[in-house]
Amino acid sequence: MAEKILVVDDEKDITELINYFLSKEGYDIICAYNATDALKLINSTPFDLAILDIMLPDESGFSLCKKIRERFQYPVIMLTAKVDAIDKVTGLTIGADDYITKPFLPLELVARVKAQLRRYKEYNTPTDNAPHKTIIHSGLIMDLDTQECTLGEKPLSLTRTEFAILRILCEHKGSVVSAETLFKEIWGEEYFNKNNNTIAVHIRRLREKMNIHLEGRDFIKTVWGRGYKID
């Protein structure tokens, strides 16, 4: 059965473009042009992924994303015409998994959708026959099966992407991991352009969450010009 994707954007040329390219890949696309209609679909239709424009005529895409996260865990990709980092941080803070800035390359969107669906399936596939895996490092405990995380014995609420970044850095502790490497490991794709700061935005939000429990100590270090590391 084809994965079902919700596309919400009030610009019909954008929804038609997305519909065309994703339908060619075999996905079942359902479009809405405002938050009200989108919410009705969300409450009545089982989706595998949602693509939400931030600027909608009746309600923001941020608000719609929050409502999705109250009930569902499928991936959410935000579309934004804005370039301010605050918009990207806001989207990731409320539970979005990724964002794409307009104008975008259709093939980039397709690649991001495939990567998010692939990761979602991996994280939600039963692993009864696999050994239980846990990462323990400097007060951090990560359960790779349940995707639960604690720091200093306090729960750490992370998105799937934040969890994946932290896992990769811990698995390479002591070594520098570049943003390009993190991006490729998480999304399975190369950077589409040199200005892509997706990883930097996720790292910033991850640090904000972790620093609450660290009393000013940096868990993730930036090695300028090279990437990130955990000692």
Side-chain angles (χ1 to χ4, degrees):
M1 183 180 296
E3 286 104 335
K4 196 179 297 293
I5 296 175
L6 173 66
V7 178
V8 187
D9 197 311
D10 61 329
E11 297 182 64
K12 291 193 176 182
D13 56 339
I14 296 293
T15 59
E16 289 174 0
L17 178 70
I18 295 174
N19 191 354
Y20 174 76
F21 279 93
L22 291 182
S23 294
K24 284 181 61 177
E25 298 295 325
Y27 298 117
D28 182 7
I29 310 302
I30 297 179
C31 298
Y33 306 101
N34 57 63
T36 301
D37 291 343
L39 193 56
K40 291 177 182 177
L41 289 168
I42 289 165
N43 291 328
S44 63
T45 307
F47 288 104
D48 297 288
L49 182 143
I51 300 173
L52 311 177
D53 184 36
I54 290 178
M55 302 297 290
L56 296 171
D58 53 347
E59 190 174 338
S60 76
F62 293 143
S63 176
L64 195 55
C65 180
K66 287 181 68 175
K67 290 177 180 178
I68 290 175
R69 280 292 168 261
E70 290 173 0
R71 296 182 55 197
F72 307 107
Q73 290 301 314
Y74 54 74
V76 174
I77 298 176
M78 305 298 298
L79 290 179
T80 173
K82 298 183 178 181
V83 295
D84 292 341
I86 187 64
D87 293 308
K88 298 168 184 176
V89 172
T90 299
L92 299 177
T93 299
I94 61 177
D97 298 277
D98 200 1
Y99 65 86
I100 295 180
T101 303
K102 298 177 182 178
F104 56 84
L105 296 173
L107 293 182
E108 176 181 2
L109 177 67
V110 170
R112 297 284 190 92
V113 166
K114 287 183 176 180
Q116 288 295 338
L117 287 172
R118 181 168 58 247
R119 289 177 54 231
Y120 182 63
K121 288 179 181 177
E122 288 174 357
Y123 290 157
N124 289 276
T125 299
T127 56
D128 294 340
N129 297 324
H132 194 74
K133 296 180 181 179
T134 304
I135 290 176
I136 302 175
H137 179 65
S138 297
L140 174 73
I141 301 177
M142 304 181 71
D143 189 314
L144 302 188
D145 289 337
T146 64
Q147 298 284 294
E148 294 176 344
C149 186
T150 61
L151 181 60
E153 300 183 352
K154 297 178 181 178
L156 194 59
S157 178
L158 304 180
T159 65
R160 286 186 298 274
T161 301
E162 290 165 353
F163 191 96
I165 289 173
L166 192 55
R167 172 184 60 78
I168 293 168
L169 291 175
C170 284
E171 290 174 345
H172 294 81
K173 60 179 179 286
S175 300
V176 178
V177 183
S178 69
E180 290 83 1
T181 297
L182 285 168
F183 190 93
K184 187 172 183 178
E185 287 205 29
I186 293 170
W187 281 281
E189 301 288 341
E190 303 286 349
Y191 264 16
F192 283 89
N193 63 72
K194 63 181 180 181
N195 296 318
N196 193 320
N197 64 344
T198 303
I199 294 297
V201 174
H202 280 291
I203 289 283
R204 181 188 310 171
R205 180 58 183 162
L206 184 53
R207 278 176 169 150
E208 290 174 357
K209 292 182 178 181
M210 299 183 76
N211 286 346
I212 295 174
H213 308 301
L214 291 173
E215 299 180 349
R217 178 170 60 91
D218 264 344
F219 198 93
I220 302 173
K221 294 179 172 59
T222 297
V223 182
W224 296 108
R226 295 179 58 197
Y228 307 94
K229 68 179 293 189
I230 290 176
D231 290 325

